[in-house]
């Protein structure tokens, strides 16, 4: 009977340790965070460059952003 009363809390403690320990002791790779941040900056720069090119193309073609009327609206 004493063994059961000691074994149950020990099993519960072991199960909690197995569940909690990986999250508590997991180390984040600082270089991975930096790489992800650099990749996001590069993607944002590409999007900004594409937007600049599209705006320049619109100005060059004379498009003023006015949409033509649809035939159903007449």
């Amino acid at each position: 009977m004493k063994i059961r009363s000691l074994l149950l809390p020990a099993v519960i403690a072991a199960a909690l340790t197995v569940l909690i320990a990986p999250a508590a002791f997991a180390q984040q790779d600082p270089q991975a965070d930096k790489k992800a941040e650099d990749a996001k900056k590069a993607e944002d720069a590409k999007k900004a460059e594409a937007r600049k090119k599209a705006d320049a193309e619109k100005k060059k073609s004379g498009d003023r952003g006015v949409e033509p009327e649809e035939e159903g609206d007449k």
Side-chain angles (χ1 to χ4, degrees), residues 1-22:
M1 189 74 171
K2 280 188 171 184
I3 294 175
R4 282 188 187 172
S5 64
L6 294 175
L7 187 62
L8 184 60
V11 169
I12 292 172
L16 289 174
T17 303
V18 168
L19 293 174
I20 295 172

Side-chain angles (χ1 to χ4, degrees), residues 54-65:
D55 289 343
E57 191 65 32
K58 277 185 179 180
K59 284 184 179 181
K60 189 176 182 181
S61 69
D63 183 14
R64 298 180 188 265

Side-chain angles (χ1 to χ4, degrees), residues 15-69:
L16 289 174
T17 303
V18 168
L19 293 174
I20 295 172
F25 296 110
Q27 293 182 355
Q28 294 290 332
D29 185 12
Q31 289 182 350
D33 291 339
K34 188 174 181 179
K35 287 179 184 177
E37 193 174 311
D38 290 344
K40 179 156 177 38
K41 285 181 183 178
E43 185 178 329
D44 290 345
K46 286 180 184 179
K47 285 181 182 178
E49 186 65 31
R51 194 175 306 125
K52 283 182 186 177
K53 285 183 180 181
D55 289 343
E57 191 65 32
K58 277 185 179 180
K59 284 184 179 181
K60 189 176 182 181
S61 69
D63 183 14
R64 298 180 188 265
V66 178
E67 303 215 8
E69 285 187 32

Side-chain angles (χ1 to χ4, degrees), residues 69-74:
E69 285 187 32
E70 292 183 18
E71 290 185 28
D73 292 339
K74 288 184 180 179

